[in-house]
Amino acid sequence: MIRKSILTLLAGAAVIAPLPVLAADDALQMVAIDVEGGGGTLFVTPHGKSVLIDTANPDRGEHPNSENIDKTARMLGLKKIDYLITTHYHSDHIGGLEGVLRRIPIGTFIDHGPNRELPGTQGPGGMIGPDWRTVGPDGRPLPGRGSTTPPPPPTVIPPPGSTAAGYARYVGLIGKSPHRVVKAGDRLDLDGMHILFVDADGEPLATPVKGAGEKPAACAAMQPMVPNGGEENSRSTSSLITYGKVKIAAFGDLTWNSEMKLFCPVDKVGKVDILLASHHGLQFSNSPAQVESLQPKIVIVGNAIGKGDDPDRVKSYMANPRFQGIWHLHVSRGHDDLDGDINMIANPDHDQAKDKTYNLRLRIRPNGEITVINERNGYNKTYKGG
């Protein structure tokens, strides 16, 4: 327990020291797992109950994403994952499920219900994918990005590699396992960790939670954003997690327009202590109304070297009046000036071949104290509650 004493003495300061997994105490463990720009965040309660949000990209290479998820779970003493929350059905959020299931069992599967990314559902100006085409106001296909002709219709339904095909595989992998479809307002309570689903399948909470209800000034100037990176992003199952005095926002890839419904004209969520940056920090999400409403003290960015961490979004996080720190899974290509302290980046090498898949780990205590740990070098910083 010497390590705990050091953290107490240096609360609010940063130290560099290796921090092994501590014996069970009153802290909730949260790990932003390095899954190369996919979704994969693990929560473990003091009594070993667990929730995993998303299962990352499909396995590839010598050390696939499912291996890192399993390794992280085992490091925290898990022999199974109690709940998997799948935010949506893009391959960077469900692609690793098959590999995860080969390595560690999952108890209950939670999601928003059927895949909504079907042919013709994508609005104008969005990204082109193999199972849907960009359509204009008249419903006719528009030219593909960088092309003068519409993308051809699929010859196989669902097209291989598509979101629809991924969803079909997801349903098959779940089989007859316990499965819960949630809507906004539903809850999951687990060993002192309370999860409120604030948005699911494109529908936000009907009324604000306690402590919310303000009218963000940013709403007045916000306009709808046409691109969303795919309809399933806007359907993301979004969680507001409460543990003691700490609130955590984990919204998957919830998009700008969906954020407008959740935060405008009235903020339905309120302030949080930790934000898992939506959509890997991309420009399709993390709107001014969201940042003004949540005002996160700590931002965790699950980016990759060439994905996410949009510079304008980073600036907006840092400008909020409660901001205290931003931590990245990867260095960002193109704007090193915004990356900040290299000790707060888990994987700082610009060369993907040298990536070591280090994670960011958070110890969250009921009294509001939060310690963020860079597993690459043991660098850690404790943020006091209140």
Side-chain angles (χ1 to χ4, degrees), residues 208-283:
V209 303
K210 183 178 180 181
E214 296 184 5
K215 296 182 177 181
C219 291
M222 279 183 61
Q223 297 296 319
M225 180 183 286
V226 173
N228 64 9
E231 179 62 25
E232 267 297 305
N233 287 329
S234 67
R235 305 287 180 150
S236 288
T237 303
S238 304
S239 302
L240 176 64
I241 302 167
T242 303
Y243 185 74
K245 295 181 178 180
V246 177
K247 291 188 176 182
I248 306 160
F251 293 170
D253 287 1
L254 196 70
T255 53
W256 180 288
N257 289 356
S258 294
E259 290 171 356
M260 287 182 68
K261 293 194 293 183
L262 186 58
F263 298 106
C264 294
V266 174
D267 163 29
K268 299 180 181 69
V269 179
K271 296 177 177 60
V272 301
D273 301 283
I274 302 166
L275 170 65
L276 185 63
S278 298
H279 214 161
H280 322 284
L282 280 168
Q283 70 273 22

Side-chain angles (χ1 to χ4, degrees), residues 139-354:
R140 297 176 63 85
L142 295 173
R145 185 168 47 167
S147 172
T148 57
T149 59
T155 57
V156 178
I157 303 296
S162 68
T163 301
Y167 174 69
R169 182 60 179 157
Y170 168 83
V171 171
L173 289 169
I174 289 177
K176 296 182 179 180
S177 299
H179 176 212
R180 180 181 172 192
V181 175
V182 296
K183 60 184 183 301
D186 288 347
R187 297 177 180 272
L188 173 65
D189 297 313
L190 188 69
D191 192 23
M193 179 172 63
H194 307 285
I195 301 177
L196 171 66
F197 298 102
V198 298
D199 208 299
D201 198 23
E203 294 296 328
L205 285 174
T207 58
V209 303
K210 183 178 180 181
E214 296 184 5
K215 296 182 177 181
C219 291
M222 279 183 61
Q223 297 296 319
M225 180 183 286
V226 173
N228 64 9
E231 179 62 25
E232 267 297 305
N233 287 329
S234 67
R235 305 287 180 150
S236 288
T237 303
S238 304
S239 302
L240 176 64
I241 302 167
T242 303
Y243 185 74
K245 295 181 178 180
V246 177
K247 291 188 176 182
I248 306 160
F251 293 170
D253 287 1
L254 196 70
T255 53
W256 180 288
N257 289 356
S258 294
E259 290 171 356
M260 287 182 68
K261 293 194 293 183
L262 186 58
F263 298 106
C264 294
V266 174
D267 163 29
K268 299 180 181 69
V269 179
K271 296 177 177 60
V272 301
D273 301 283
I274 302 166
L275 170 65
L276 185 63
S278 298
H279 214 161
H280 322 284
L282 280 168
Q283 70 273 22
F284 300 121
S285 306
N286 308 284
S287 65
Q290 187 214 55
V291 176
E292 181 182 343
S293 298
L294 300 180
Q295 294 186 27
K297 295 179 182 178
I298 303 165
V299 180
I300 306 295
V301 185
N303 62 321
I305 295 173
K307 176 183 178 180
D309 201 30
D310 179 80
D312 289 336
R313 303 300 176 256
V314 173
K315 291 174 184 176
S316 70
Y317 302 143
M318 297 171 69
N320 100 70
R322 299 174 72 240
F323 175 79
Q324 295 185 30
I326 184 167
W327 297 69
H328 296 81
L329 279 176
H330 283 270
V331 69
S332 299
R333 187 176 292 154
H335 52 91
D336 291 0
D337 55 315
L338 293 177
D339 282 337
D341 187 347
I342 194 171
N343 285 308
M344 297 167 75
I345 303 172
N347 301 280
D349 203 305
H350 284 276
D351 185 352
Q352 182 67 43
K354 297 179 181 178

Side-chain angles (χ1 to χ4, degrees), residues 30-37 40 63-65 67-69 71-72 75 300-304 327-331 342-349 351-361 373-379:
M30 169 183 171
V31 185
I33 304 171
D34 180 28
V35 286
E36 308 304 335
H63 298 290
N65 289 319
E67 178 183 276
N68 202 20
I69 292 172
K71 180 179 68 176
T72 301
M75 181 187 71
I300 306 295
V301 185
N303 62 321
W327 297 69
H328 296 81
L329 279 176
H330 283 270
V331 69
I342 194 171
N343 285 308
M344 297 167 75
I345 303 172
N347 301 280
D349 203 305
D351 185 352
Q352 182 67 43
K354 297 179 181 178
D355 182 72
K356 301 296 184 183
T357 63
Y358 291 110
N359 303 329
L360 294 172
R361 181 156 53 92
I373 305 157
N374 184 343
E375 292 188 348
R376 170 174 60 88
N377 58 4
Y379 180 89

